[in-house]
Amino acid sequence: MRFVFVLFGLSAALIGAVWAWLGQPVALPQVSGLAGKLYCVSYAPYRGDQTPFDEALHITAGQIDEDLARLAKIAGCVRTYATGQGLEQVAEIAGRHGLKVLQGLWVSDHPLKTKLQVDSVVQLANRYPHVIEGVIVGNEVLLRGEMLAADLAQLIRDVKGRIRVPVTYADVWEYWLRNPEVAGAVDFITIHILPYWEDLPIAARDAGAHVAAIRSQVAAAFAGKEILIGEFGWPSAGRMREGALPSPVNQARVIQEALARAQSGNYRVNIIEAFDQPWKRALEGTVGGHWGILDGTTREAKFHGGKPLSNHPHWPWQALGGILFALAIFACARAFARGAVAASTWFGVVASASVGGILFGWIVADMPLVSFGVAGWTRSLAFTAVALLTPVFGVAAMTSGTALPRFDEIVGPVSRRIRGALARTYGALLILTTVLAIMVALGLVFDPRYRDFPFAAFSVAATPFVLHRALTRREQGPRPPAEIAVAALLLCSSLYVAVNETFANWQSVWLCAVFVVFAATLAQARGAQN
């Protein structure tokens, strides 16, 4: 019994040490010359389940006023993207708070809706010329392929002839270079530079230099035109793209460095965006809802210039949760132990408890971040269930001498199915883990752009199966074809995903490594199978 307590103490110490390291605040560099308010931030008023796709939605003036009162403390301007749903109130309310507005006009391939937007924005620009300092006719219309460049230029000229404030168009920087004729219709050029979303993603450490270089390139192509960076930002959560890692620390570092370069280079930058927008998660996955510099729920700033910042500010609670989870794993192992348990088996218990305890806090903290809608929550709950249940039943099986079941012993002919509640539950968890692994692997092969890498959940779920197989005497008999087929699928998918995401993406490499080891574990199964 004392031996078990010692092992648990070692596991608990390891869990606490890892989380203390992960939670350490990072001292952000003091950026010289960067002071005062931001020039401008992109503003959308949607909260909770509010979405621009709900045509019946009307944002109240009180909600907008609350947001703009908060933004007036950190910025001198807000950029909008459309009117309607109450957004036409922004200019009037912004004026009361001393904010300027870059008024958006949503242009689409629907002529009637575009005309309504034009008429509304013209009316606003003429009513609030002291507040609206520019009108943006269309946002990434060319990127979406909804209008030809010549038609867009004509629309811009039409709007320009009806108002007295400067007019521009906003798009990703490459589309300005591909459609130079649009530049002749605008008063100034508005480009989007989002290093995370580049075709070749830019790592956080290089993002500031990338923005300055692209801005210089566009300025050289359109000499004499003012260049406004209409969108620049970095996400605080979500999947990696090659070496581009979303995190609170990276968001703070990238934005501060880019703004410092803008100040020294004397050019303007609009930050995307003010508040997190949950509705974007339906379009862009987890990362889409975490571009705000203010939290979408608390409406508080995510970082403050020059102050240390942690990617895991609640790490003591995550460590405590992990230690308690490890305690439950040890208690289950001890409860199911039959006689003297081999030292190698206790190694399996320690490893399962340590891996589970370290990643427990990560899994729980990520669950609300990566879950959106019924399907998203169902998927996340399934991932979490296998991560929490597999170590418990896995160590129980190891210490009780229960063999790792084959697929056919769980879902095969009744005469071949394994007996015992523990073995059946353990086998069901193996099948559920396998199904989820296949689903994730194929998703990352065929539709990867917005999918997360659930490396933490699968590491915890796979560890007991891997250890159980490794610590058990090698079985005799033919290889079951079902396990071999799944192993081959996971292996091939992992190789493709690792290369496609590049080895700079440690989230991808980690998950693929888990899949490969799990596939090898399945491939080692032996026994008669039809």
Side-chain angles (χ1 to χ4, degrees):
M1 191 68 174
R2 183 180 299 175
F3 176 65
V4 177
F5 278 115
V6 171
L7 293 179
F8 168 69
L10 293 174
S11 181
L14 178 61
I15 294 167
V18 170
W19 273 108
W21 172 68
L22 288 173
Q24 282 300 302
V26 176
L28 298 174
Q30 293 287 341
V31 182
S32 60
L34 183 59
K37 294 182 178 182
L38 301 173
Y39 160 64
C40 202
V41 291
S42 290
Y43 171 65
Y46 308 103
R47 302 182 187 180
D49 59 357
Q50 294 175 341
T51 166
F53 304 115
D54 179 5
E55 295 185 1
L57 175 68
H58 181 81
I59 307 295
T60 66
Q63 182 173 319
I64 295 173
D65 184 79
E66 181 183 329
D67 286 344
L68 296 187
R70 193 178 295 273
L71 294 179
K73 299 175 182 179
I74 64 172
C77 161
V78 292
R79 176 188 170 182
T80 63
Y81 290 79
T83 61
Q85 297 182 309
L87 281 164
E88 61 278 359
Q89 303 171 97
V90 170
E92 189 270 331
I93 298 172
R96 295 205 306 261
H97 290 287
L99 287 164
K100 297 295 184 182
V101 176
L102 287 173
Q103 178 64 54
L105 187 165
W106 191 260
V107 175
S108 67
D109 55 1
H110 194 296
L112 179 57
K113 290 184 177 180
T114 298
K115 183 180 184 302
L116 292 174
Q117 287 281 314
V118 168
D119 293 342
S120 176
V121 169
V122 166
Q123 186 179 25
L124 287 171
N126 289 329
R127 182 184 300 173
Y128 303 107
H130 59 290
V131 175
I132 296 176
E133 64 176 20
V135 168
I136 302 176
V137 182
N139 182 73
E140 298 185 350
V141 180
L142 299 176
L143 171 65
R144 297 194 304 274
E146 294 184 350
M147 185 175 284
L148 297 174
D151 295 334
L152 175 62
Q154 185 57 52
L155 176 62
I156 294 170
R157 293 188 183 96
D158 291 343
V159 173
K160 190 174 178 180
R162 299 172 61 184
I163 61 178
R164 301 187 301 275
V165 300
V167 175
T168 185
Y169 164 69
D171 212 327
V172 177
W173 62 274
E174 295 104 321
Y175 284 83
W176 279 100
L177 299 179
R178 296 175 191 176
N179 302 276
E181 62 269 35
V182 178
V186 300
D187 295 306
F188 61 96
I189 291 172
T190 301
I191 60 174
H192 296 170
I193 309 176
L194 299 171
Y196 174 86
W197 282 127
E198 293 282 12
D199 291 338
L200 297 175
I202 308 300
R205 63 180 178 274
D206 302 318
H210 175 75
V211 172
I214 295 301
R215 192 262 174 193
S216 296
Q217 180 181 346
V218 176
F222 301 104
K225 288 281 188 180
E226 180 188 359
I227 309 296
L228 167 67
I229 298 178
E231 282 187 2
F232 168 76
W234 194 268
S236 61
R239 57 111 71 206
M240 287 186 75
R241 295 191 70 236
E242 298 189 11
L245 173 65
S247 73
V249 170
N250 279 348
Q251 182 185 54
R253 178 181 288 126
V254 167
I255 289 177
Q256 290 185 85
E257 181 184 348
L259 291 178
R261 286 177 178 269
Q263 186 164 309
S264 62
N266 196 31
Y267 55 87
R268 298 181 298 166
V269 176
N270 171 72
I271 298 297
I272 184 167
E273 55 197 329
F275 300 99
D276 287 339
Q277 294 295 297
W279 63 271
K280 289 185 178 181
R281 294 163 65 185
L283 302 176
E284 301 175 358
T286 302
V287 73
H290 295 92
W291 285 78
I293 57 175
L294 288 87
D295 185 88
T297 302
T298 66
R299 318 306 272 182
E300 297 293 335
K302 295 180 182 178
F303 60 88
H304 301 277
K307 292 185 178 180
L309 185 66
S310 171
N311 284 328
H312 303 280
H314 306 298
W315 70 265
W317 291 107
Q318 291 171 291
L320 178 60
I323 291 171
L324 293 176
F325 182 47
L327 178 60
I329 294 172
F330 270 95
C332 192
R334 184 70 184 84
F336 279 83
R338 293 181 180 175
V341 178
S344 60
T345 300
W346 281 115
F347 168 79
V349 173
V350 172
S352 295
S354 298
V355 172
I358 290 170
L359 297 178
F360 172 85
W362 206 317
I363 295 167
V364 173
D366 276 359
M367 187 165 62
L369 293 179
V370 303
S371 305
F372 184 80
V374 174
W377 275 102
T378 301
R379 185 169 54 249
S380 291
L381 289 172
F383 292 161
T384 303
V386 297
L388 299 186
L389 294 176
T390 298
V392 173
F393 284 92
V395 298
M398 282 188 258
T399 57
S400 66
T402 301
L404 180 61
R406 301 187 307 272
F407 293 164
D408 71 313
E409 292 178 311
I410 304 301
V411 295
V414 175
S415 61
R416 193 173 295 170
R417 292 182 186 178
I418 198 169
R419 297 180 181 276
L422 174 59
R424 289 180 178 178
T425 304
Y426 191 35
L429 287 171
L430 173 62
I431 290 176
L432 179 57
T433 301
T434 303
V435 170
L436 291 174
I438 292 171
M439 182 179 71
V440 170
L442 293 180
L444 289 171
V445 169
F446 294 105
D447 185 26
R449 184 173 176 85
Y450 303 121
R451 294 183 183 272
D452 295 308
F453 300 97
F455 55 88
F458 275 110
S459 296
V460 177
T463 296
F465 299 123
V466 172
L467 291 170
H468 197 158
R469 181 73 72 195
L471 298 174
T472 303
R473 184 174 58 85
R474 185 174 294 276
E475 302 167 341
Q476 302 298 319
R479 297 175 185 271
E483 277 88 337
I484 294 301
V486 171
L489 187 150
L490 289 178
L491 178 61
C492 293
S493 298
S494 298
L495 294 175
Y496 173 82
V497 171
V499 172
N500 186 56
E501 297 288 342
T502 78
F503 291 101
N505 185 337
W506 61 259
Q507 293 181 348
S508 168
V509 171
W510 181 336
L511 180 62
C512 290
V514 173
F515 281 167
V516 169
V517 175
F518 184 62
T521 299
L522 293 177
Q524 292 174 29
R526 295 290 189 277
Q529 186 172 15
N530 188 328

